[in-house]
Amino acid sequence: MYSAIYSGALQGITAYLVLVEVDIAQGLPAFSMVGSLGSEVRESRERVCVALKNAGLELPPKHITVNLAPADRRKEGTAFDLPIAVGVLEGLAYIPEGAGADRLFLGELGLNGEVKRVRGVLPIVREAAARGVKECIVPAENAREGSAVSGITVRGVADVGQLLAFLQASSLEEQEKILPRQDMAAGDSWLGDLGAGEPDFGEVAGQETARRAAEIAAAGFHNLLLVGPPGAGKSMIARRIPGIMPALTLSESQEVTSIASVAGLMEEEKMLVTRRPFCSPHHTITQTALVGGSHVPRPGVVSLAHRGVLFLDELPEFKREALDSLRQPLEEHQVHIARIGGNVTYPSDFMLVCAMNPCPCGYYPDRNRCRCTTAQVKQYMGKVSGPILDRIDLCVELQPVELDSLQRRCGAEDSHGIRKRVQKARMRQEIRFAGTGCRFNGDIESGQIDRYCPLGTEEEACMGQLYQTLHLSVRAFHRILKVARTIADLEDAEEIQVEHLLEASYYRPTQEYWQP
């Protein structure tokens, strides 16, 4: 007997539907699986057979053939256990013929019949809804995540016995009692998180220039570099940036949640990720872990930081090849990974925030405390390549906090006040970029500079002088204009003015600083 059940698979974070075909025939007992299968998928036959046996369902000595179509696309993961089991049950007449029609099944089976959580439920359910599937049966632990998609019914199942009872039920009322629907319109339940519970800028003493740079970076989604001695507050400031950034929109939240789901990092009871990500990898991280990859491609840290902050503390301690691998993600906002099994693309639109000491001991140019030679300082600073520095929008040098600032810390502005200005600037950008691919000033492409960052005669003369004096590259020239656009937005100015250009140029990392 033949049966066909819908399931889903992932290529990167893009989902596609898979037709699980099961044929049960007379002949020598066998359980064959075909369809370009990874090792986890091939192991499904053992899990399915034992799970059904322990659920009280005997498999007769038949010739069972399972095909996962399309057969030319590589299938990975354990989510096909449940649809294979449903196909076998239908083929053996344990459930009515057609019970799996218009339904999509996902789930891993334990040997005791338990249905375990799997990765990538949200993007697969979204694809199913777009393709007209009426209902999705997913593990109970993934039901909350799947319910974030509107227009489709999602039900969470705990074990094979519960699923069997559901599929054998003769009425919708009985089915609803066994597996209550979990569908929930995400638009009706969406509440953007505006930084509640985040570390507060009111705890930061002094460092007004760095605070100002962090505000500009948050308002325009610009990359930021903090340079200063140990204990100056670099990490403290960086960790407070997500709390002053605009809340995730619903579409951004779904993007971030999809990546977390594919990476297997979704919390059990969480429907959507509502806070901007903050990722801070250790400096020993490998290039593969940073940008993604491996034999079976997985999203790297740059993708997990999508729409949020990627914080690289102790920047020169990172491997040179790992840092240089950030060039493409910083420019294209996505990562392309090519493997024998296929090519995948992961989004990686993040704000890069870096922190570093000015020398190995951390106290240069204070010669009363610094004992590093000029060659040592130059070698240390040279660990950060010029192309990476060229992609940094703002660079701030922090000084040790003075006693007066430390004792009067209670007067520092908190994150709520800063966030109000950032949100106001962001609203101006939403109006400016309506209907375009840009979201923040940091997203402006080089071909759009003249349109979004027009200059008057005096401002053009100022930029010409800055270009010659600072020996700017074309990329750095454009970045100053984008930062100046954000400064103007924060001050509610329609046009970029000379003072905005001068402030933006002040935050450029200078070549002299990196070659003492």
Side-chain angles (χ1 to χ4, degrees):
M1 184 175 177
Y2 171 84
S3 60
I5 307 296
Y6 278 112
S7 187
L10 296 166
Q11 186 169 12
I13 66 166
T14 303
Y16 62 94
L17 298 191
V18 174
L19 186 65
V20 180
E21 300 177 298
V22 180
D23 181 77
I24 301 179
Q26 299 294 335
L28 292 175
F31 197 128
S32 303
M33 295 182 62
V34 295
S36 187
L37 312 178
S39 58
E40 301 97 333
V41 185
R42 288 195 299 269
E43 293 165 356
S44 288
R45 56 190 173 193
E46 282 78 19
R47 290 193 295 270
V48 169
C49 291
V50 176
L52 294 181
K53 175 183 73 69
N54 288 332
L57 304 170
E58 293 295 333
L59 296 183
K62 301 280 188 179
H63 189 95
I64 302 174
T65 304
V66 178
N67 176 49
L68 273 61
D72 61 342
R73 301 184 75 168
R74 185 75 172 173
K75 321 296 188 311
E76 302 285 352
T78 58
F80 298 108
D81 291 4
L82 194 61
I84 292 172
V86 173
V88 170
L89 292 175
E90 185 175 329
L92 296 175
Y94 280 110
I95 60 177
E97 185 177 354
D102 292 328
R103 291 189 174 114
L104 182 143
F105 295 85
L106 292 170
E108 176 186 340
L109 291 181
L111 298 185
N112 61 351
E114 175 190 6
V115 180
K116 300 182 178 181
R117 68 181 302 161
V118 292
R119 299 181 297 107
V121 167
L122 178 61
I124 292 175
V125 173
R126 291 178 69 183
E127 177 65 15
R131 296 285 295 273
V133 177
K134 303 298 183 183
E135 191 171 85
C136 286
I137 309 296
V138 303
E141 295 180 4
N142 293 115
R144 180 73 172 162
E145 175 188 343
S147 69
V149 181
S150 59
I152 188 170
T153 298
V154 176
R155 303 183 190 272
V157 62
D159 54 55
V160 172
Q162 189 181 36
L163 177 65
L164 186 62
F166 171 80
L167 295 175
Q168 290 175 339
S170 57
S171 65
L172 293 176
E173 292 78 8
E174 190 177 353
Q175 289 181 340
E176 191 66 32
K177 290 180 181 179
I178 299 171
L179 291 184
R181 64 181 62 199
Q182 297 285 328
D183 55 327
M184 182 185 302
D188 295 335
S189 61
W190 171 249
L191 289 174
D193 195 326
L194 287 175
E198 296 280 359
D200 198 281
F201 260 98
E203 302 165 352
V204 179
Q207 305 298 4
E208 297 301 328
T209 303
R211 291 165 62 96
R212 169 67 171 172
E215 179 180 339
I216 297 170
F221 219 69
H222 300 291
N223 302 324
L224 173 65
L225 173 61
L226 303 170
V227 183
K234 303 184 296 295
S235 300
M236 192 176 188
I237 290 172
R239 294 184 183 279
R240 282 153 178 76
I241 291 178
I244 63 172
M245 295 174 69
L248 286 171
T249 64
L250 178 57
S251 62
E252 288 177 334
S253 178
Q254 290 176 334
E255 292 175 14
V256 174
T257 303
S258 295
I259 296 171
S261 178
V262 169
L265 300 177
M266 277 297 293
E267 298 176 20
E268 180 178 336
E269 295 300 326
K270 205 162 189 176
M271 183 176 69
L272 288 172
V273 176
T274 57
R275 293 187 180 183
R276 291 195 180 271
F278 181 87
C279 297
S280 180
H282 193 263
H283 61 260
T284 57
I285 189 172
T286 64
Q287 179 179 342
T288 300
L290 185 61
V291 300
S294 188
H295 174 66
V296 178
R298 293 284 187 270
V301 176
V302 297
S303 297
L304 297 176
H306 181 64
R307 301 300 181 194
V309 174
L310 174 61
F311 177 48
L312 303 184
D313 200 4
E314 304 296 342
L315 183 65
E317 302 301 332
F318 284 80
K319 296 179 180 178
R320 183 69 172 263
E321 60 270 19
L323 289 181
D324 287 343
S325 68
L326 295 176
R327 297 185 193 181
Q328 182 211 17
L330 285 171
E331 288 297 313
E332 300 182 10
H333 306 309
Q334 55 186 3
V335 176
H336 305 285
I337 299 172
R339 294 293 183 269
I340 294 177
N343 300 334
V344 297
T345 299
Y346 293 115
S348 59
D349 189 2
F350 57 89
M351 178 198 296
L352 178 63
V353 179
C354 306
M356 61 178 291
N357 297 326
C359 68
C361 77
Y363 296 105
Y364 180 85
D366 184 359
R367 285 305 184 182
N368 292 324
R369 305 181 69 182
C370 178
R371 296 295 181 265
C372 301
T373 65
T374 300
Q376 288 175 323
V377 176
K378 183 175 181 179
Q379 181 183 17
Y380 184 78
M381 302 298 261
K383 291 182 179 180
V384 184
S385 66
I388 292 297
L389 284 177
D390 211 29
R391 289 166 170 83
I392 299 292
D393 299 325
L394 302 103
C395 178
V396 180
E397 182 177 358
L398 286 74
Q399 301 297 330
V401 179
E402 296 183 358
L403 181 60
D404 283 349
S405 298
L406 187 62
Q407 293 176 336
R408 291 186 285 110
R409 182 177 55 187
C410 58
E413 186 178 19
D414 62 11
S415 293
H416 177 71
I418 301 173
R419 186 166 57 248
K420 289 175 64 176
R421 293 194 297 271
V422 170
Q423 289 174 332
K424 189 174 181 180
R426 175 62 180 130
M427 290 177 63
R428 293 181 65 91
Q429 294 171 61
E430 286 182 357
I431 296 172
R432 178 182 303 124
F433 300 130
T436 70
C438 296
R439 304 191 187 198
F440 298 92
N441 290 330
D443 295 335
I444 299 175
E445 300 289 341
S446 58
Q448 301 171 316
I449 289 291
D450 292 339
R451 177 182 176 185
Y452 295 121
C453 304
L455 300 179
T457 304
E458 187 178 355
E459 287 74 24
E460 284 187 350
C462 177
M463 277 307 300
Q465 186 175 1
L466 290 172
Y467 185 81
Q468 298 294 334
T469 304
L470 300 180
H471 305 288
L472 300 175
S473 67
V474 175
R475 182 186 289 114
F477 180 86
H478 289 162
R479 289 187 181 278
I480 287 180
L481 290 175
K482 290 190 286 186
V483 172
R485 178 68 270 174
T486 300
I487 295 172
D489 289 340
L490 285 169
E491 296 185 1
D492 205 19
E494 290 292 337
E495 303 294 338
I496 298 175
Q497 300 172 4
V498 171
E499 54 266 29
H500 304 148
L501 295 172
L502 293 177
E503 182 178 1
S505 66
Y506 171 77
Y507 296 119
R508 286 300 306 164
T510 60
Q511 190 70 12
E512 289 77 9
Y513 187 82
W514 300 92
Q515 292 184 357

